[in-house]
Amino acid sequence: DRVKGLPPGPVRAMTVSSNGHLWLATQSGLGRMDAAHARFDVEPGIDHECEVLAAVGDEIVAGGSQGIACGRPGQLHTLAGFAGVQDIVVSDNGLAWIACSSGIAVLRPPIANAHPEVVVPPSGAVGRIASGVGTGWASSGQDLLEKIGRAHV
């Protein structure tokens, strides 16, 4: 079955939030599946390219070349100063680790009211991250691997 209302452009990432919403990141913004009506709703205010996406409970964190958007459905807000988002992972303890060109941002739930608590500047722009409970690993495009320990979270 085809579902109507998907934001234009290729789908870059998908995730399902704890309340059952299917989220899609596209080059034109974010879409959220309204399962009751079998259609997608485009999230207001997020009309730019989204590359990566993660769910933190029933909240969402999205990122792309223009920065981070986070919050609940219909209430997403953008966070300034975090352009070039390459990766987002959520650790077992609910921290959202965001790799971007200026380093690593860490958001703590509730995401709707969150501001980055920590920015860890790496030796270069961060390309990918992995996280466990209280410990993270960051890698840049130059074969760099850095451990970000509990002191940072």
Side-chain angles (χ1 to χ4, degrees):
D1 289 343
R2 289 195 142 238
V3 180
K4 297 181 180 177
L6 180 65
V11 173
R12 306 284 172 95
M14 294 190 294
T15 192
V16 178
S17 55
S18 66
N19 55 6
H21 292 300
L22 171 64
W23 292 82
L24 299 177
T26 74
Q27 70 183 25
S28 302
L30 289 176
R32 177 177 49 91
M33 172 103 171
D34 177 352
H37 299 99
R39 73 168 192 263
F40 277 92
D41 293 324
V42 176
E43 279 299 304
I46 309 300
D47 58 357
H48 54 78
E49 161 188 45
C50 292
E51 294 284 336
V52 292
L53 189 59
V56 181
D58 65 345
E59 298 178 291
I60 201 78
V61 181
S65 61
Q66 297 188 22
I68 301 168
C70 59
R72 289 193 161 79
Q75 302 171 355
L76 295 177
H77 64 281
T78 57
L79 300 175
F82 296 96
V85 176
Q86 297 292 315
D87 202 4
I88 301 171
V89 296
V90 179
S91 64
D92 296 341
N93 58 355
L95 296 175
W97 295 68
I98 304 162
C100 58
S101 58
S102 60
I104 299 173
V106 180
L107 297 175
R108 220 177 268 282
I111 299 297
N113 301 322
H115 296 284
E117 288 186 14
V118 178
V119 175
V120 180
S123 301
V126 176
R128 297 288 178 246
I129 52 177
S131 177
V133 178
T135 302
W137 292 89
S139 174
S140 73
Q142 292 119 20
D143 297 327
L144 173 70
L145 184 64
E146 293 184 28
K147 183 176 182 181
I148 298 116
R150 293 182 186 277
H152 297 292
V153 293

